[in-house]
Amino acid sequence: MRLLLLFMIISKIALAPAYAQRPPIIKEVRIAINAGDFAGATKLLADARQAGGVTPAWLEAHSWIARGHLAAKRYDQAAKSASETHSMAVAMLKQRKLDDEPSLPIALGAAIEVQSQVLNAQGRKAEAVAFLQQELKTWQGTSIVARTRKNLH
């Protein structure tokens, strides 16, 4: 028991700096989604977008909307949000590389993952596999290949 408690404390301390360095919008949206407050999360995103535009961190936060809908089995909303994140990420890639910083590949990877999981949950496994295979080809040589491949297995 003491060993488990010690491990939990060390893990929390070791992970805290990395999580604390994430932009606040990501944490705030995740908290709202975890509370089931999709309207609050959407308002946070709208306010952040008005203040600073669409940034990689904003897109990462936006990806949590899709993940939350997926977890709640709201597949249509999850697919819509994931598609929006995917489209905005691809548009952003006209001005930067995917792996220039961590938030953009996280957002795009989450969008791909949610889109495939929605297809699978809707009984469209062959479409999910085809989608993931196409995304693997598209993003070959980037950091999201491993995440995308993981979803195939």
Side-chain angles (χ1 to χ4, degrees):
M1 182 68 168
R2 285 183 185 170
L3 186 58
L4 178 61
L5 182 59
L6 180 62
F7 176 75
M8 290 172 53
I9 292 169
I10 291 171
S11 295
K12 189 169 187 167
I13 291 169
L15 295 176
Y19 187 72
Q21 293 172 2
R22 305 299 299 143
I25 186 63
I26 298 166
K27 181 179 179 183
E28 292 164 3
V29 168
R30 286 183 71 176
I31 289 168
I33 293 299
N34 287 338
D37 184 7
F38 288 88
T42 300
K43 174 140 180 31
L44 287 166
L45 284 166
D47 292 348
R49 186 175 188 170
Q50 185 174 15
V54 175
T55 65
W58 186 93
L59 274 177
E60 183 180 345
H62 188 271
S63 74
W64 281 99
I65 300 283
R67 293 182 239 197
H69 283 305
L70 178 65
K73 297 183 180 181
R74 297 182 193 140
Y75 300 126
D76 290 341
Q77 295 98 322
K80 181 178 183 268
S81 293
S83 179
E84 290 170 356
T85 300
H86 192 280
S87 294
M88 288 186 278
V90 169
M92 191 173 282
L93 289 170
K94 293 177 182 173
Q95 302 169 354
R96 66 183 332 126
K97 291 182 181 175
L98 179 63
D99 293 320
D100 282 349
E101 51 71 55
S103 287
L104 189 54
I106 290 171
L108 181 59
I112 292 167
E113 190 171 277
V114 169
Q115 287 174 298
S116 68
Q117 289 178 4
V118 165
L119 289 169
N120 191 50
Q122 293 173 331
R124 298 160 57 192
K125 185 172 183 166
E127 286 178 65
V129 169
F131 172 74
L132 288 170
Q133 288 173 335
Q134 182 58 49
E135 293 297 309
L136 277 172
K137 288 178 188 172
T138 300
W139 304 110
Q140 193 62 43
T142 68
S143 64
I144 64 171
V145 167
R147 180 177 185 170
T148 304
R149 189 171 287 123
K150 172 193 73 140
N151 282 282
L152 277 171
H153 303 288

